[in-house]
Amino acid sequence: MKSLLTLIIVILPLVNSAQELRRVVDLRGQWKFSIGDNPRWSRTDYDDHSWEKIFVPAAWENEGFSGFDGYAWYRITIDLRNISEHNLYLVLGYIDDVDRAYINGHLIGFSGSFPPDFYTAYKSYRQYPIPDGILNRNGKNVIAIRVFDTVLEGGIIKGDVGIYTNKNQPDKTQVLEGAWKLREGDSNSWKYQDYDDSHWNDIMVPSFWKSLKKSKIESVGWYRKDFRLADYLQHEEDLVLVVGLIDDFDETYINGVMVGSTNDGKWLGYSQSYREIRVYDIPKGILKKDGKNLVAVRVTDLGVDAGIYSGPIAIIPRANCQQLLNSWR
């Protein structure tokens, strides 16, 4: 099955420009801060009242932690009762060296890699989509950031830290970019919801497989992403799944049902599938309005770069789809 909209376009940026975003919550100021590392510190029910306070953004060396290198966590609690916007982004600016960002205990994004397979991402601008369904719109939300630093400055260094909305995004766009699961190999069972992917690699989508650095993925790999259908899409009848640009071929499933594939059957150097935006019909009745849904994408690579490497990646009414695609050109 070919994509419904066949578009040959130039390679798109991996993330939308920060200039397209409008801040709705200012997160500059005092955060809670603790040296050390504990997975419980991402949870909403963790008691951080005894933690130090630190200004964000600033190098932690300039906030009383001179000479410290290693693991540390930031936490802040915010109230979103007055925020009506959807498709929000957590912008953290620049972090030295590595981070993982959580909201209400859910991993929403990361940059770089922690030891033992350390690599820095201090030059990367942190802009993470916040999945629909994880925010408490009626009260408090906890943002927790795990950071590792090696030498020189460390921490959330600089940037216009906050929660933003994309002012150019069409109405009723449920963004699916962000943290996905990825595994090398091939198994038909990986398209089903009841498969346990907790041991798979985390990968930011969109990005190339090589962003994992230590990955040895060749030929075939699978992506998986759980999501809850947004409230504003519950009564939409004509929805499409946009899976962006994929290098090279794909088979795409929702809740175990194939919704589309793109494969021009040509070899490396001749195939143009990597330049085709995937836009697939979502058949009526396969999306769950209550509970979790699963997108699974089987990707076949011909060589060189590979993966779901550029957006947009979203569920959207067909009537709004072209506007979404135009916003990414």
Side-chain angles (χ1 to χ4, degrees), residues 284-302:
K284 292 179 175 60
I286 71 168
L287 281 173
K288 299 176 183 177
K289 294 184 178 180
D290 296 315
K292 289 185 178 180
N293 295 276
L294 174 76
V295 174
V297 184
R298 179 183 185 268
V299 174
T300 302
D301 173 47
L302 298 178

Side-chain angles (χ1 to χ4, degrees), residues 47-92:
D47 182 1
D48 60 16
H49 78 276
S50 64
W51 284 25
E52 304 274 359
K53 290 186 178 180
I54 192 171
F55 188 84
V56 172
W60 61 42
E61 285 84 354
N62 298 331
E63 294 293 306
F65 297 89
S66 178
F68 174 69
D69 297 317
Y71 288 93
W73 282 72
Y74 295 77
R75 285 170 57 97
I76 191 170
T77 300
I78 60 172
D79 194 314
L80 295 179
R81 277 178 287 197
N82 296 321
I83 304 301
S84 60
E85 291 84 355
H86 293 280
N87 287 324
L88 300 175
Y89 293 78
L90 175 63
V91 173
L92 297 171

